[in-house]
């Protein structure tokens, strides 16, 4: 069973892709809604939360882990791989970079949480990939809360998009990585603002292709379970709407959440 986690409902953008590529996939999803957002927390706290999330998923039968959260991937992916050497662990950052580079862009933008952007992980990995493409990164810390609140089409969201992304409208980039799994829920709004010439990159499809083609991940079919550390009705409603079907959500006890 594939274990997937995020700080909240953002990771469902990855789950949706899994359900699209393999409708009968067996997975367990954990959204740490009681402690979201992760992107404003210190690296120590994000690492602790990520370990607790993984422990929960493994205790509930996961045999592989997808870190469906850029923040946790940026801060904790390497440590998780070291801590669980026998479990395949997939982060979202490398697939995002591969997907962006496949577009052969001259310039790349990255938008993400404060923790992801200050980690400099995208610049570091792009350098490691041997490219000297100009990268412009922008933290958009309030986007996560706007998505968790379901304010996708709200006036306040439009204002925040303008506040965070005006530089990308004035000086466009060829490819913009949606470097937080919550952001694809705002994709149409972001696309409308930055314009058609900027290609938006959502790593969900690429990460799921990697997971499903990995021979260490058994092609189990069946059970699909959703856990949240705080089960608020509006969160469940947004999650169901995004996945296009009603879901049954159970309450998870994770760490101190
Ligand atoms: N969706 C997560 C990410 O990809 C976390 C956002 C947050 O909790 O701040 O970074």
């Amino acid at each position: 069973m594939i274990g997937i986690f995020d700080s909240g409902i953002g990771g469902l953008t990855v789950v949706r892709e899994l359900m699209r590529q393999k409708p009968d996939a067996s997975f367990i999803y954990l959204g740490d809604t009681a402690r979201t957002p992760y992107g404003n927390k210190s690296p120590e706290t994000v690492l602790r939360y990520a370990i607790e999330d993984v422990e929960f998923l493994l205790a509930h039968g996961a045999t592989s882990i997808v870190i469906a959260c850029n923040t946790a991937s940026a801060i904790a992916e390497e440590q998780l791989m070291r801590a669980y050497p026998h479990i395949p662990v997939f982060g979202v950052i490398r697939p995002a970079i591969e997907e962006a580079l496949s577009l052969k862009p001259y310039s790349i933008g990255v938008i993400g949480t404060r923790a992801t952007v200050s980690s400099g992980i995208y610049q570091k990995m792009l350098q490691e990939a041997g490219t000297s493409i100009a990268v412009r990164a922008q933290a958009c810390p309030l986007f996560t809360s706007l998505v968790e609140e379901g304010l996708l089409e709200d006036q306040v969201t439009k204002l925040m998009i303008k506040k965070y992304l005006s530089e990308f409208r004035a000086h466009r980039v060829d490819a913009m990585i949606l470097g937080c799994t919550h952001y694809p829920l705002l994709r149409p709004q972001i696309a409308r603002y930055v314009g058609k010439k900027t290609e938006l990159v959502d790593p969900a499809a690429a990460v799921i292709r990697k997971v499903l083609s990995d021979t260490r991940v058994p092609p189990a079919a069946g059970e699909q379970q959703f856990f949240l550390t705080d089960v608020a009705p509006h969160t469940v409603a947004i999650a169901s709407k995004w996945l296009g079907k009603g879901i049954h959500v159970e309450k998870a006890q994770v760490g101190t959440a």
Side-chain angles (χ1 to χ4, degrees):
M1 183 158 59
I2 303 169
I4 306 172
F5 76 93
D6 177 46
S7 68
I9 55 170
L12 293 177
T13 58
V14 177
V15 168
R16 188 165 90 159
E17 193 49 42
L18 174 60
M19 290 165 89
R20 197 185 65 79
Q21 291 188 32
K22 188 168 169 31
D24 64 345
S26 167
F27 67 82
I28 171 170
Y29 180 79
L30 172 65
D32 194 5
T33 42
R35 304 190 290 194
T36 195
Y38 283 9
N40 300 344
K41 309 275 189 314
S42 65
E44 298 74 41
T45 300
V46 173
L47 177 60
R48 178 162 60 85
Y49 287 178
I51 291 172
E52 290 171 354
D53 295 341
V54 171
E55 287 294 329
F56 175 89
L57 292 170
L58 296 180
H60 286 76
T63 49
S64 59
I65 297 293
V66 178
I67 313 171
C69 172
N70 281 258
T71 307
S73 299
I75 309 291
E77 184 179 328
E78 272 180 33
Q79 281 99 325
L80 291 178
M81 282 175 161
R82 272 203 300 273
Y84 304 99
H86 306 302
I87 308 275
V89 175
F90 303 88
V92 282
I93 294 173
R94 216 174 291 276
I97 286 176
E98 287 167 9
E99 194 75 355
L101 290 178
S102 74
L103 300 170
K104 310 231 176 306
Y106 289 106
S107 54
I108 292 181
V110 178
I111 57 173
T113 66
R114 193 174 284 136
T116 299
V117 169
S118 32
S119 75
I121 188 90
Y122 278 96
Q123 290 87 337
K124 194 172 144 238
M125 283 199 183
L126 276 161
Q127 231 167 36
E128 281 171 14
T131 146
S132 54
I133 299 172
V135 184
R136 194 167 350 128
Q138 170 71 47
C140 309
L142 286 179
F143 281 1
T144 304
S145 306
L146 293 168
V147 168
E148 292 282 331
E149 277 301 314
L151 297 173
L152 307 183
E153 290 291 350
D154 200 89
Q155 215 41 38
V156 74
T157 305
K158 284 198 185 104
L159 278 175
M160 292 317 299
I161 288 177
K162 189 168 169 200
K163 176 174 165 55
Y164 290 140
L165 305 184
S166 59
E167 272 302 300
F168 289 101
R169 182 151 146 153
H171 310 282
R172 74 172 187 88
V173 287
D174 297 320
M176 178 190 276
I177 297 174
L178 301 176
C180 169
T181 51
H182 280 74
Y183 299 177
L185 282 112
L186 295 174
R187 187 182 186 127
Q189 294 82 337
I190 294 173
R192 229 179 286 138
Y193 184 74
V194 296
K196 283 200 189 91
K197 289 189 177 155
T198 296
E199 192 92 42
L200 300 184
V201 179
D202 170 7
V207 72
I208 292 303
R209 275 197 304 275
K210 255 193 199 331
V211 173
L212 294 178
S213 62
D214 194 306
T215 49
R216 295 169 302 162
V217 179
E223 248 190 309
Q224 309 193 330
Q225 300 175 58
F226 295 89
F227 283 91
L228 298 177
T229 51
D230 181 60
V231 187
H234 77 275
T235 311
V236 178
I238 300 165
S240 303
K241 191 169 168 206
W242 176 253
L243 292 173
K245 63 173 196 174
I247 54 168
H248 172 68
V249 178
E250 290 173 67
K251 168 116 171 61
Q253 187 60 49
V254 175
T256 51

